[in-house]
């Protein structure tokens, strides 16, 4: 094990293999260790650091215990657990949360352009989502709803940020950003 890996242990960071049922439960985790491991493997939980832990120079991810409380407080673990158990898909979760595909017209004043702009967005939580960090209030006078699409209808609708937005909506209990229009 490298000196940096030893330092990581001293800081309270642990490789995934050290997260036992007992340790997880002591830190407020009510799900299985295998679900925790799945969240890590799928990238829902990300390591804080990487260190060499063998003479073969294998790089091991290290996770913080604080991650457990962060994930428990902010993630929609019930929905993710259903996906983990293969009882539903992300699309099912999006439907349950009332997500819609929409085409909107955003005023040039909001966009800072010479003319109004059409955008294909996702409607969720009374916001039109263009990207993970760019949304517009659905009830704004600066934005007009042009058309609503079925969640599976991709004809005449394209947003290069769709998968990232959908993933965040599925992951988070409440997904919210400050809208661009107030």
């Amino acid at each position: 094990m490298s000196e940096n890996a030893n330092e990581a242990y001293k800081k309270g960071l642990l490789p995934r293999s050290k997260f036992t049922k007992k340790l997880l439960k002591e830190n407020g985790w009510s799900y299985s260790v295998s679900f925790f491991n799945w969240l890590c493997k799928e990238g829902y939980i990300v390591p804080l650091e990487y260190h060499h832990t063998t003479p073969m120079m294998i790089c091991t991810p290290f996770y913080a215990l604080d991650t457990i409380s962060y994930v428990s407080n902010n993630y929609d673990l019930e929905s993710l657990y259903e996906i983990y158990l293969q009882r539903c898909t992300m699309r099912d979760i999006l439907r349950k949360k009332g997500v819609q595909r929409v085409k909107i017209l955003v005023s040039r004043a909001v966009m800072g352009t010479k003319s109004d702009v059409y955008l294909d967005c996702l409607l969720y939580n009374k916001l039109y989502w263009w990207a993970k960090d760019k949304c517009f209030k659905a009830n704004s006078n600066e934005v007009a709803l042009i058309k609503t699409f079925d969640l599976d209808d991709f004809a005449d609708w394209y947003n290069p940020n769709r998968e990232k937005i959908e993933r965040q909506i599925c992951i988070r209990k409440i997904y919210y950003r400050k809208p661009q229009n107030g």
Side-chain angles (χ1 to χ4, degrees):
M1 186 178 325
S2 71
E3 288 181 30
N4 289 334
N6 278 326
E7 288 300 314
Y9 273 108
K10 289 177 185 173
K11 290 190 295 189
L13 301 179
L14 300 169
R16 199 171 68 222
S17 62
K18 299 295 182 187
F19 283 87
T20 62
K21 181 178 181 177
K22 180 183 177 196
L23 179 66
L24 288 168
K25 190 172 184 175
E26 287 171 356
N27 285 278
W29 188 260
S30 58
Y31 295 93
S32 67
V33 175
S34 60
F35 178 53
F36 177 82
N37 287 329
W38 179 82
L39 290 170
C40 294
K41 288 176 188 173
E42 294 295 316
Y44 295 109
I45 297 176
V46 294
L48 196 60
E49 298 176 3
Y50 289 87
H51 298 289
H52 297 112
T53 54
T54 67
M56 307 285 282
M57 300 299 279
I58 293 175
C59 205
T60 302
F62 278 70
Y63 300 85
L65 280 173
D66 294 351
T67 300
I68 298 167
S69 61
Y70 177 83
V71 167
S72 296
N73 291 332
N74 296 294
Y75 283 20
D76 182 357
L77 290 175
E78 290 178 25
S79 295
L80 289 172
Y81 193 64
E82 292 295 311
I83 293 170
Y84 162 71
L85 295 174
Q86 297 180 345
R87 292 182 183 160
C88 68
T89 64
M90 270 197 179
R91 185 77 57 240
D92 297 329
I93 302 300
L94 293 171
R95 277 193 188 88
K96 183 175 114 181
K97 291 186 175 190
V99 175
Q100 293 179 304
R101 289 205 176 104
V102 296
K103 184 177 290 294
I104 62 172
L105 181 63
V106 184
S107 76
R108 61 180 170 251
V110 171
M111 295 302 288
T113 56
K114 291 182 180 181
S115 61
D116 296 347
V117 177
Y118 288 95
L119 294 175
D120 292 333
C121 298
L122 292 171
L123 173 60
Y124 169 69
N125 200 18
K126 299 180 184 175
L127 296 171
Y128 296 121
W129 293 88
W130 164 246
K132 279 180 20 177
D133 57 355
K134 188 167 185 105
C135 58
F136 308 93
K137 286 183 181 177
N139 62 356
S140 170
N141 293 333
E142 303 290 331
V143 179
L145 176 63
I146 303 301
K147 185 177 179 183
T148 302
F149 297 83
D150 181 81
L151 203 53
D152 295 318
D153 182 9
F154 286 96
D156 196 34
W157 190 96
Y158 174 74
N159 182 322
N161 307 302
R162 177 189 58 86
E163 289 178 356
K164 290 176 183 173
I165 302 165
E166 287 179 348
R167 181 176 164 97
Q168 287 304 312
I169 290 170
C170 284
I171 291 172
R172 303 287 179 176
K173 286 181 181 175
I174 296 175
Y175 187 54
Y176 186 81
R177 292 273 193 258
K178 185 176 179 184
Q180 298 294 314
N181 52 336

